[in-house]
C-alpha cells in the first residue's frame, strides 16, 4: 500500500453520512446558488475564527482579488508581499494593475521578515532601490501584455512613484506570521493588512485566528488545504462592516440595491451551495483534525532527529500551525536530491513548495527583479521539501517516511 501525500478518502469515510445528508438537503431545496447553507457556513466560520463578518466565495484566489478590489487597488499602488508563496498571492495584485513589491522571508518560519518589511517600505518611500530591492518602476506600473490591462486601456502613469498601500502576509504551511512585529510597522506607515490565510485556516497566533487579525483575511477551501471542499471555494473575513458590504456587492457583479442596480465593477465570485454543505459537514471534525496534524508534525520531528543535516520545522509557544504542509530543509540541492532518490525507491511521495520564488518567475519578469534580490527565498527553494501530511497518517507510515529520509540524508 502506497502512502498518500494527503488522504481525503479516510476523512470522507468518517463523515460520509453527514456529507450525503447535507448534499441531499441542497438537492431537495434546489437553491444551488446562494442557498441557505452559504449564510450558515459564513456564520459558523466567522464565529469559529472570532471575526465579525465572513463572505463565502468561489476560490482563495477570488477571495484575495475581492479583498483588493474592495480597497480600490490599482495602478500606482505598491502592495508588499512575499516571493515565497503560491503565485495567486502576487497574481491578484498584478491583475488589478497594481505592483507587487517583494520582501524576503525569515529562514525559520518561511514567513515575511518584519525587518526586511520595514526596509522595503523605506525604499518605496524614498524611491531608493539601494535601501531595499524594488521593482524597476518605469516598467512596473502595469504588466505589459501580461494581463487584461494593456497599458493603452488603463489610465496609468508609468513614471509616477509607487505608493505603498498595504501588505499581503502569507501564513506559509499553516504557521501564522509574527503579527505583533508586523502590525506596528503597518500602523506607523498607515498601511492595511490582508492576511493570505489560504494555508492557515485553523491555526492561531496568541490564541487568535489569523482570519481575525488583518483588516481583511482570506482563506481557500481547495481540497488540499487544511479545510477543503470538493471543488473550489474560498472566504473573506473582516471586522469592518462597511468593507463587508462592499465585498458582498463585488461578489455579485458590483450590485447595488438589487440585481439590476450595478454600482461598481465586480465579479461572479459566489461559492456553490453544495460546497458550503460539504464544508459544514467537515467542520464537525475539523478542530480534532488540527490536533491530529499537530501530533503528526511532532512525531515527524522526533523521528527525524537521526537524520543528517535535515532541519525540521520549529514549534512556537505563541502560535499553533494548521500544518497545511510539513516542510523540512536539506543541506543543499544535492543533499535534497539524495533524499528524493531514496523516497522514490520506497514509493513515498514528496513535494517542493516552492521550487522557484515568484520574483524569478517569467510572469513577473516585467518587475525587473534579479537573482540575488531575495537570497533567503532563493536558498530555501533549493533546500526545502514537504513530506506526506494529513490527520490520518499512521505512526507506522511516518516511520517508513522517516527511515527513507534518514537513509537519504546520510548518503
Ligand atoms: C492555495 C493558495 C491560494 C489560492 O487558493 P485557491 O483556492 O486555489 O484559489 C492563495 N494563496 C496561497 C498561499 C495558497 O496556498
Amino acid at each position: 500500500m502506497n502512502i498518500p501525500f494527503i488522504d481525503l478518502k479516510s476523512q470522507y469515510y468518517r463523515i460520509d453520512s453527514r456529507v450525503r445528508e447535507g448534499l441531499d438537503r441542497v438537492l431537495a431545496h434546489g437553491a444551488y446558488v446562494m442557498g441557505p447553507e452559504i449564510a450558515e457556513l459564513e456564520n459558523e466560520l466567522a464565529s469559529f475564527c472570532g471575526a465579525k463578518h465572513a463572505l463565502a466565495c468561489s476560490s482563495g484566489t477570488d477571495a484575495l482579488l475581492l479583498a483588493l478590489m474592495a480597497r480600490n487597488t490599482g495602478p500606482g499602488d505598491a502592495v508588499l508581499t512575499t516571493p515565497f508563496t503560491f503565485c495567486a498571492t502576487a497574481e491578484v495584485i498584478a491583475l488589478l494593475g497594481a505592483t507587487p513589491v517583494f520582501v524576503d522571508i525569515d529562514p525559520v518560519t518561511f514567513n515575511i521578515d518584519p525587518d526586511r518589511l520595514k526596509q522595503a517600505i523605506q525604499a518605496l518611500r524614498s524611491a531608493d532601490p539601494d535601501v531595499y530591492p524594488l521593482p524597476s518602476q518605469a516598467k512596473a506600473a502595469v504588466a505589459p501584455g501580461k494581463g487584461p490591462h494593456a497599458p493603452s486601456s488603463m489610465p496609468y502613469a508609468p513614471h509616477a512613484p509607487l505608493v505603498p498601500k498595504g501588505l499581503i502576509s502569507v501564513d506559509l504551511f499553516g504557521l501564522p506570521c509574527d503579527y505583533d512585529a508586523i502590525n506596528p510597522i503597518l500602523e506607523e506607515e498607515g498601511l492595511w493588512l490582508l492576511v493570505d490565510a489560504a494555508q492557515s485556516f485553523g491555526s492561531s497566533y496568541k490564541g487568535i485566528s489569523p482570519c481575525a487579525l488583518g483588516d481583511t483575511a482570506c482563506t481557500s477551501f481547495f481540497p488540499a488545504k487544511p479545510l477543503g471542499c470538493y471543488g473550489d471555494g474560498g472566504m473573506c473575513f473582516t471586522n469592518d462592516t462597511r468593507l463587508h458590504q462592499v465585498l458582498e456587492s463585488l461578489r455579485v457583479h458590483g450590485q447595488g440595491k438589487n440585481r439590476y442596480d450595478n454600482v461598481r465593477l465586480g465579479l461572479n465570485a459566489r461559492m456553490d451551495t453544495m460546497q458550503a454543505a460539504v464544508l459544514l459537514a467537515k467542520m464537525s471534525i475539523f478542530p480534532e483534525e488540527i490536533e491530529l496534524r499537530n501530533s503528526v508534525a511532532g512525531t515527524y520531528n522526533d523521528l527525524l532527529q537521526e537524520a543528517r543535516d535535515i532541519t525540521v520545522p520549529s514549534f512556537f509557544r505563541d502560535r499553533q500551525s494548521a500544518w497545511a504542509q510539513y516542510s523540512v530543509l536539506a543541506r543543499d540541492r544535492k543533499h535534497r536530491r539524495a533524499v528524493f532518490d531514496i523516497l522514490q525507491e520506497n514509493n513515498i511521495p514528496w513535494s517542493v513548495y516552492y521550487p522557484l520564488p515568484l520574483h524569478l518567475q517569467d510572469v513577473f519578469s516585467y518587475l525587473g527583479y534579479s537573482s540575488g534580490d531575495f537570497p533567503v527565498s532563493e536558498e530555501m527553494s533549493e533546500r526545502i521539501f514537504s513530506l506526506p501530511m494529513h490527520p490520518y497518517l499512521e505512526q507506522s507510515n511516518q516511520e517508513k517516511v522517516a527511515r527513507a529520509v534518514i537513509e537519504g540524508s546520510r548518503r
Side-chain angles (χ1 to χ4, degrees):
M1 258 283 288
N2 286 347
I3 301 171
F5 193 71
I6 60 166
D7 184 359
L8 296 174
K9 268 191 210 149
S10 298
Q11 183 196 48
Y12 177 64
Y13 292 134
R14 280 191 70 190
I15 50 166
D16 56 348
S17 62
R18 248 179 289 208
V19 171
R20 282 161 188 275
E21 280 163 29
L23 292 175
D24 280 344
R25 267 195 299 276
V26 177
L27 291 169
H29 67 55
Y32 302 123
V33 174
M34 294 307 284
E37 284 80 2
I38 297 291
E40 198 185 322
L41 180 72
E42 288 172 340
N43 292 334
E44 178 161 343
L45 297 202
S47 81
F48 179 79
C49 295
K52 201 160 161 192
H53 302 286
L55 182 110
C57 66
S58 38
S59 69
T61 306
D62 286 343
L64 292 167
L65 193 58
L66 288 167
L68 290 181
M69 288 170 79
R71 300 219 165 259
N72 291 314
T73 305
D77 294 348
V79 179
L80 298 128
T81 194
T82 159
F84 201 64
T85 178
F86 183 58
C87 68
T89 314
E91 177 183 42
V92 289
I93 301 168
L95 270 174
L96 293 170
T99 303
V101 174
F102 294 122
V103 179
D104 211 356
I105 56 168
D106 174 283
V108 175
T109 63
F110 310 123
N111 288 333
I112 203 153
D113 179 332
D115 293 329
R116 302 284 97 75
L117 173 64
K118 214 184 283 180
Q119 287 176 356
I121 297 168
Q122 275 167 10
L124 277 168
R125 294 270 188 231
S126 54
D128 183 358
D130 289 339
V131 176
Y132 198 76
L134 290 178
S136 47
Q137 293 184 29
K139 291 183 286 175
V142 166
K146 296 280 192 192
H149 307 304
S152 59
S153 68
M154 195 86 183
Y156 80 113
H159 299 287
L162 294 169
V163 181
K165 289 294 171 78
L167 167 71
I168 306 183
S169 63
V170 179
D171 302 329
L172 204 70
F173 306 140
L175 181 73
C177 296
D178 189 356
Y179 287 105
D180 279 357
I182 290 171
N183 276 325
I185 301 169
L186 298 180
E187 273 161 33
E188 199 178 306
E189 298 283 345
L191 305 184
W192 47 251
L193 171 64
L194 168 53
V195 177
D196 181 346
Q199 300 181 10
S200 63
F201 188 80
S203 72
S204 62
Y205 179 78
K206 303 192 176 171
I208 301 170
S209 163
C211 293
L213 276 173
D215 299 280
T216 341
C218 296
T219 197
S220 162
F221 304 121
F222 183 76
K225 309 286 175 167
L227 179 64
C229 56
Y230 292 154
D232 280 304
M235 196 163 278
C236 297
F237 298 89
T238 183
N239 292 325
D240 182 332
T241 302
R242 162 80 192 134
L243 206 65
H244 177 244
Q245 283 167 354
V246 176
L247 289 168
E248 279 187 309
S249 163
L250 287 167
R251 176 171 64 181
V252 195
H253 305 291
Q255 80 176 18
K257 288 189 286 294
N258 60 58
R259 197 182 297 184
Y260 301 105
D261 176 33
N262 304 100
V263 294
R264 53 175 71 78
L265 291 175
L267 304 170
N268 172 4
R270 295 168 295 218
M271 176 188 281
D272 293 343
T273 311
M274 288 215 192
Q275 300 303 344
V278 169
L279 290 167
L280 284 166
K282 286 204 186 186
M283 273 306 283
S284 62
I285 55 168
F286 182 66
E288 183 197 337
E289 288 188 334
I290 293 291
E291 294 303 323
L292 290 169
R293 285 174 183 272
N294 259 284
S295 82
V296 166
T299 302
Y300 265 139
N301 275 11
D302 291 344
L303 291 170
L304 289 173
Q305 275 182 1
E306 288 168 49
R308 181 178 297 158
D309 291 344
I310 294 288
T311 310
V312 299
S314 300
F315 277 72
F316 293 82
R317 218 173 293 160
D318 63 351
R319 283 168 251 189
Q320 191 187 45
S321 177
W323 297 104
Q325 301 295 341
Y326 178 84
S327 304
V328 304
L329 295 172
R331 192 170 55 234
D332 53 30
R333 192 185 275 279
K334 203 164 144 246
H335 187 224
R336 183 174 73 175
R337 188 66 248 169
V339 174
F340 289 174
D341 287 344
I342 306 297
L343 287 170
Q344 190 153 17
E345 269 172 35
N346 288 276
N347 271 322
I348 295 166
W350 71 89
S351 276
V352 174
Y353 304 109
Y354 292 94
L356 192 64
L358 297 186
H359 67 288
L360 302 178
Q361 295 272 359
D362 275 352
V363 65
F364 294 118
S365 59
Y366 74 94
L367 294 171
Y369 283 116
S370 322
S371 178
D373 279 351
F374 307 106
V376 181
S377 297
E378 289 167 30
E379 183 187 330
M380 295 303 125
S381 70
E382 303 207 334
R383 296 174 56 198
I384 205 159
F385 61 102
S386 304
L387 296 173
M389 162 55 77
H390 58 82
Y392 308 105
L393 192 56
E394 289 159 3
Q395 168 114 13
S396 58
N397 280 339
Q398 285 199 265
E399 284 165 5
K400 276 186 211 155
V401 174
R403 264 200 302 275
V405 173
I406 291 165
E407 188 188 333
S409 74
R410 295 178 169 277
R411 286 286 164 97

